Amino acid sequence: MLRPRRSFATPRAHALAARGVAAFALTGTLVTGVLAAGPAAATPPIDLADELTDAAGVLGVAEERAVEDALDRLADETPYQLFVVFVDDFDDLDAVTWAHETASMSGLGRDDLLLAVAVEAREYRVSAHDDLALTDAQLDEVEAERIEPQLRDDDWGGAAIAAADGYRAAATTSTSPWPFLLTVVVGPLVVGLLLWAAHRRRVARRAAAVGDIGPAGLTLEELEQRVGASLVAVDEAVRASEQELGFAQAQFGTEATMTFDDVIAKAKSTLTQAFALRRTVDDMDRDAARERREALVEVLRLCDEVDDALDAQKEAFDALRDLHARAPETLAELERRATELEQRLPAARATLATLAATYPPAALTSVQGNADAAQAVLSQARASVAQGQAALDTDRAKAVALARSAEDAVVRAGSLLAAVHGAGDE
């Protein structure tokens, strides 16, 4: 649930002659001043498709790029993502309600923040999740010391940049738990996964901003623009995923992360193909509109293929992370499961003896040695569990690898014994 930021007392107001309206108060709401000539355009709550939405048209191209760079720095260097929206007016809603509904419609999560600014109505609101790791004091300081001074001066881009830089600074100070978690508790792999997840959310939202209309509904020029944006976004995603693979390899070794390595290698190959195809479009006759369109659509398909492949690895990464975090519990559970399977060995041997008295040896070839094989495999599992438990405090990566080995052995033993008990029916 999002917590709307509380109000603060205003020490003063600044008159702004350029717009002829009252300055932003520290409460984030309009308190006094001269109204602008003419009503502001009311904007209902928005489903944000990107980190920056300038529905009020107050940012120039250079300002937008500067704001986006600041938002990217925040997302790349911390677990947080800031969304900024400028509108004329909050549609007769109070700022808290407007910001809350916008955040909810946009699916913002625990580590997302929203800065909503009504430039004509002279209101703003910052919304953050109840479980956000930044403290109220840190959030208050960013508003009072960074955001509001810029808003009073109608420096809209400056306010967004100040907000992003302020939250980034707060996340990396000693008062925040983030650096401690980074270096002591969470570990390099989880840090990488968190940053990778934030990056993937950012890329997905950028793609969504241009992805609501299918290729068939775009002009050739618009299709070229979409292809360019998609190539950049997917290239960023591959680079980020490759970086996070490095975290995983450092934590678990190359063998445990071989599947991820293969996926990224294939993604890079597909992306190279997409870039090469895009270059061929530039060499085509400008009048060959159909051929150009078909090639561009194929580039989009290749980009989607890469994006889907990277997204598919998130579940596997999460499982690896969970195993790392729960290695002690996992090893204890595997030891318990191995004990249970060992207790089934006498029954399996009895079943084999009964079957041998009923059926010819040739009929039991596939299961005759299953009990002995299961016992051997379970011995291996127990050895891996013991070694893993011994390595927990000194080498968590080794403990995780041994847990995976023990789990494979336990699964194989279970399959061998199940085959014995099903042999009679077969």
Side-chain angles (χ1 to χ4, degrees):
M1 176 179 179
L2 290 170
R3 60 183 180 201
R5 302 291 302 122
R6 64 178 184 273
S7 298
F8 310 101
T10 175
R12 58 185 176 138
H14 293 248
L16 301 174
R19 289 187 176 271
V21 295
F24 283 86
L26 284 181
T27 56
T29 58
L30 176 65
V31 291
T32 60
V34 182
L35 295 178
T43 304
I46 300 173
D47 181 2
L48 303 176
D50 207 350
E51 290 173 310
L52 176 61
T53 301
D54 182 18
V58 294
L59 301 180
V61 174
E63 283 183 298
E64 285 188 1
R65 290 176 180 171
V67 171
E68 289 172 349
D69 287 343
L71 298 178
D72 285 350
R73 286 194 299 272
L74 173 67
D76 288 338
E77 298 177 20
T78 77
Y80 307 120
Q81 189 171 9
L82 173 64
F83 294 82
V84 179
V85 55
F86 295 104
V87 297
D88 288 330
D89 185 83
F90 285 144
D91 193 31
D92 296 329
L93 297 175
D94 62 86
V96 172
T97 301
W98 196 96
H100 178 78
E101 291 187 8
T102 292
S104 298
M105 289 172 60
S106 305
L108 302 194
R110 183 191 61 187
D111 293 328
D112 296 328
L113 299 105
L114 170 66
L115 170 60
V117 181
V119 298
E120 295 292 344
R122 314 302 294 172
E123 298 178 316
Y124 85 96
R125 181 62 54 177
V126 173
S127 286
H129 197 278
D130 288 335
D131 296 330
L132 187 76
L134 295 178
T135 66
D136 281 347
Q138 289 173 313
L139 296 173
D140 295 350
E141 181 179 0
V142 172
E143 290 186 22
E145 302 298 328
R146 294 177 180 263
I147 298 175
E148 289 166 1
Q150 304 297 328
L151 291 179
R152 289 197 189 98
D153 293 336
D154 274 8
D155 187 356
W156 316 115
I161 293 170
D165 289 345
Y167 297 133
R168 183 165 55 91
T172 55
T173 59
S174 58
T175 57
S176 170
W178 179 244
F180 174 77
L181 293 174
L182 239 72
T183 57
V184 180
V185 179
V186 182
L189 174 67
V190 180
V191 173
L193 291 172
L194 289 172
L195 297 182
W196 177 77
H199 177 87
R200 296 294 297 145
R201 290 203 311 271
R202 190 165 67 258
V203 169
R205 289 181 183 277
R206 285 177 178 170
V210 295
D212 292 336
I213 303 175
L218 300 176
T219 66
L220 189 59
E221 181 179 357
E222 291 170 337
L223 185 57
E224 288 180 336
Q225 292 175 351
R226 177 182 290 189
V227 165
S230 296
L231 285 170
V232 171
V234 174
D235 184 53
E236 289 180 359
V238 170
R239 292 175 186 272
S241 299
E242 193 171 22
Q243 181 181 9
E244 306 329 322
L245 175 62
F247 283 104
Q249 289 175 333
Q251 193 76 3
F252 298 109
T254 56
E255 184 176 353
T257 56
M258 192 175 299
T259 300
F260 307 132
D261 197 10
D262 291 342
V263 169
I264 292 178
K266 183 178 179 180
K268 291 172 66 176
S269 175
T270 303
L271 183 59
T272 298
Q273 181 184 351
F275 272 110
L277 182 58
R278 176 64 184 89
R279 286 193 294 271
T280 65
V281 176
D282 293 332
D283 297 332
M284 291 181 181
D285 190 329
R286 300 298 297 181
D287 294 330
R290 179 177 178 180
E291 290 79 3
R292 290 169 59 83
R293 175 176 289 276
E294 290 176 349
L296 291 170
V297 170
E298 176 62 13
V299 173
L300 286 179
R301 188 195 68 77
L302 292 172
C303 287
D304 288 341
E305 181 180 323
V306 173
D307 206 42
D308 290 344
L310 296 179
D311 281 341
Q313 296 310 302
K314 182 180 183 302
E315 184 177 348
F317 263 120
D318 287 344
L320 195 60
R321 178 185 64 181
D322 184 61
L323 180 57
H324 176 270
R326 298 186 64 258
E329 294 86 349
T330 300
L331 287 166
E333 172 64 17
L334 288 170
E335 186 175 26
R336 184 187 65 79
R337 288 169 57 189
T339 298
E340 290 179 350
L341 290 173
E342 285 175 340
Q343 293 172 348
R344 291 170 52 188
L345 286 172
R349 296 186 190 282
T351 298
L352 287 171
T354 300
L355 292 172
T358 307
Y359 301 98
L364 302 177
T365 300
S366 62
V367 296
Q368 188 63 54
N370 279 24
D372 292 337
Q375 185 172 22
V377 169
L378 288 172
S379 295
Q380 295 173 5
R382 283 195 172 278
S384 295
V385 167
Q387 294 171 24
Q389 290 173 331
L392 279 172
D393 295 332
T394 58
D395 191 345
R396 181 60 67 94
K398 180 179 179 181
V400 169
L402 288 165
R404 291 163 67 96
S405 176
E407 185 172 30
D408 289 342
V410 167
V411 170
R412 288 201 306 273
S415 298
L416 288 168
L417 295 179
V420 171
H421 292 295
D425 293 336
E426 292 181 6

